[in-house]
Amino acid sequence: WTCQKVENCASAIEDIKRHIKPPLCGYNGKTPVICCRRKSPITLLYRDDGLHEGDACNTNSGETGTCRRPFNCPTEVAEWRQNIKPMICAYDGGTPIICCKETNNQIRKAWISFETCLNYQTNCRPNFGIPIENKNGRGNMTDDSLNLPSFSIGGEQTAPKEFPPMEKAVFRPSVVGGRPSIPKQYPHMALIGYGEASSISWQCGGSLISARYVLSAAHCTSPGQAGPARWVRLGDLNIASKDDDARPQEYQIISRINHPGYQPPALYNDIALYKLNKPVTYNSYISPICLTNVVPQGNQPVIATGWGRIGPSGPKSNHLMKVDLHVIPYEICKDLFKVGLQLPQGIDDESMICAGELSGGKDTCQGDSGGPLMFQDLPFGCVHQQLGITSFGTLCGAEKSPGVYTRLSKYIPWVESILSNDADEQ
């Protein structure tokens, strides 16, 4: 192992394409210097014919495939969840290398978001900030660093002995049991507005994912009598203050794209893209989030943020709030929500993530629907990684009542297809 720049380390480049972050030695200016390993052979387990990652193989169904890591093989992973075990080519440490029937073109599509994220990372790194491009506007400009959140690690989760019935899902707009965020901590956060320009009502959240697109929940597109989503505000912290070290900018929504599978009252496929009327100029107050199909497990926390109610019947928060949550295993969560009109197939592990605290006290609630569920992947920590979208739940912050979030891993190809076919994104 030696410390090298990324471009000088072939094994690191291969790992990054597989969404495996190499260890960080430090920085040379703004350029990360990573711990570079020599390429080593994979330890074989179930095969004795010398297969390595990238080699041709035959799947259990007899189809021709390629030995790949599970991250780059969504079809086999989906089958694995249904107890259809893939053919294992080998093991690299504890990571199985499986026989994957996806083509190179399909695998290539899985890299688009990650490579975009690497481009975002080149503009920042922890504690060093992003250069300010526009000196006009409000805010204290003496400290241009990106402030990072502190993580609080919770205890182990155990299955509850009994579960409350799900009478009716409640769309989740805010944060319960959280704490105020600090300036420039979540520069991707968006407010989604409704009504006329003179009296905008901010009712949902979202996340900036490119210079022209905000990601949100499909149920935020036309929520009842509020009419369609018409406005996006970026770069704000406290919506009632003018001296909060923020740099808010407002944009019109010119196109609303719900996922074609979103069919209310069912709660599945709750994801939408909103196109802005003009490109966003990135700075330390406004910058995009990365999309990921990685879902932290165990004690690694995930973060939800939003403006809105700070309790089931409490007032809305003018200040952007954040809360640390934990992913609730599917085996526990599926029994918390009854099959019914809104969930005819129950909780879908492929398209939904449950997160919260089984003991209660921390949750999202009514005002932040559409906002991101995310984590910070240090040392690449200056840009957050979004794994979910705030969707629905039952009782905010109650015991054994987690929130449910749209699982981005299923929808990244759909998001990429919209952006890659938009001439304004080229």
Side-chain angles (χ1 to χ4, degrees):
W1 295 77
T2 59
C3 292
Q4 301 279 349
K5 292 183 179 179
V6 174
E7 60 267 27
N8 295 332
C9 181
S11 63
I13 293 172
E14 292 177 5
D15 285 345
I16 288 172
K17 288 179 178 179
R18 294 190 293 265
H19 294 220
I20 300 171
K21 306 298 194 326
L24 184 71
C25 294
Y27 283 87
N28 181 4
K30 287 191 175 182
T31 303
V33 178
I34 51 88
C35 194
C36 180
R37 60 175 171 79
R38 294 181 179 180
K39 189 173 182 180
S40 58
I42 297 169
T43 303
L44 302 181
L45 184 62
Y46 294 124
R47 294 295 194 93
D48 58 4
D49 49 1
L51 287 177
H52 290 71
E53 186 173 3
D55 289 349
C57 58
N58 291 317
T59 68
N60 285 330
S61 58
E63 297 177 77
T64 300
T66 305
C67 294
R68 299 192 185 279
R69 295 175 186 260
F71 187 92
N72 284 330
C73 196
T75 299
E76 265 67 26
V77 170
E79 292 178 350
W80 207 339
R81 289 195 179 110
Q82 300 171 6
N83 294 322
I84 303 173
K85 295 183 179 179
M87 177 65 72
I88 297 179
C89 298
Y91 273 82
D92 183 2
T95 303
I97 309 300
I98 63 177
C99 190
C100 177
K101 53 180 174 278
E102 258 82 18
T103 65
N104 283 332
N105 185 52
Q106 289 171 313
I107 299 301
R108 175 66 186 172
K109 289 180 180 179
W111 294 351
I112 296 174
S113 289
F114 189 73
E115 291 177 340
T116 301
C117 183
L118 288 180
N119 290 333
Y120 294 161
Q121 301 284 12
T122 61
N123 293 320
C124 70
R125 66 184 177 94
N127 301 323
F128 279 81
I130 305 175
I132 294 290
E133 299 179 23
N134 180 2
K135 294 295 182 182
N136 297 319
R138 77 192 200 201
N140 178 6
M141 302 304 298
T142 60
D143 179 8
D144 193 30
S145 63
L146 279 176
N147 297 301
L148 303 180
S150 58
F151 291 145
S152 60
I153 306 299
E156 294 185 359
Q157 296 157 340
T158 56
K161 295 180 179 179
E162 57 184 42
F163 308 110
M166 176 183 171
E167 301 295 340
K168 183 174 177 63
V170 176
F171 289 124
R172 301 243 167 176
S174 181
V175 168
V176 175
R179 59 194 188 277
S181 61
I182 56 180
K184 298 176 280 188
Q185 190 170 14
Y186 302 109
H188 52 267
M189 280 301 298
L191 285 152
I192 308 300
Y194 306 82
E196 299 301 322
S198 59
S199 58
I200 299 174
S201 175
W202 305 107
Q203 297 187 21
C204 272
S207 53
L208 183 68
I209 63 169
S210 78
R212 292 294 294 270
Y213 280 90
V214 166
L215 185 67
S216 189
H219 77 261
C220 289
T221 300
S222 296
Q225 297 180 349
R230 296 183 60 188
W231 312 96
V232 165
R233 178 183 283 184
L234 300 169
D236 211 347
L237 181 65
N238 188 312
I239 60 176
S241 175
K242 294 185 177 181
D243 57 0
D244 56 341
D245 192 8
R247 192 69 72 75
Q249 299 289 328
E250 291 183 6
Y251 300 82
Q252 285 184 282
I253 296 173
I254 60 172
S255 178
R256 307 163 194 85
I257 309 170
N258 281 357
H259 189 276
Y262 178 66
Q263 300 292 333
L267 301 173
Y268 305 108
N269 306 304
D270 190 12
I271 181 173
L273 286 166
Y274 302 147
K275 184 176 179 179
L276 307 181
N277 63 317
K278 59 183 178 181
V280 173
T281 298
Y282 300 152
N283 54 52
S284 60
Y285 296 88
I286 303 174
S287 61
I289 196 170
C290 293
L291 306 184
T292 183
N293 61 7
V294 174
V295 178
Q297 302 294 332
N299 283 336
Q300 182 177 351
V302 291
I303 306 165
T305 51
W307 295 265
R309 297 190 186 279
I310 54 178
S313 58
K316 284 188 175 182
S317 172
N318 290 323
H319 196 97
L320 178 62
M321 302 293 288
K322 60 182 178 180
V323 64
D324 293 340
L325 306 172
H326 290 91
V327 173
I328 307 296
Y330 168 71
E331 292 73 17
I332 296 176
C333 187
K334 64 182 177 65
D335 293 326
L336 296 172
F337 296 88
K338 284 188 174 182
V339 172
L341 181 64
Q342 294 177 299
L343 290 172
Q345 285 83 47
I347 294 295
D348 177 26
D349 188 40
E350 185 180 357
S351 64
M352 296 173 171
I353 302 171
C354 297
E357 300 296 336
L358 292 177
S359 59
K362 291 184 177 183
D363 201 358
T364 47
C365 192
Q366 287 87 7
D368 182 49
S369 285
L373 184 70
M374 57 192 161
F375 63 93
Q376 243 188 340
D377 195 8
L378 299 172
F380 297 88
C382 54
V383 178
H384 285 78
Q385 309 281 325
Q386 182 173 356
L387 64 141
I389 300 169
T390 305
S391 184
F392 68 92
T394 51
L395 301 174
C396 306
E399 184 179 0
K400 304 168 189 173
S401 180
V404 181
Y405 301 78
T406 303
R407 184 187 290 264
L408 273 182
S409 59
K410 179 177 180 178
Y411 301 101
I412 288 177
W414 175 74
V415 171
E416 290 175 346
S417 70
I418 302 295
L419 271 64
S420 63
N421 290 318
D422 189 333
D424 291 331
E425 282 287 315
Q426 306 306 314

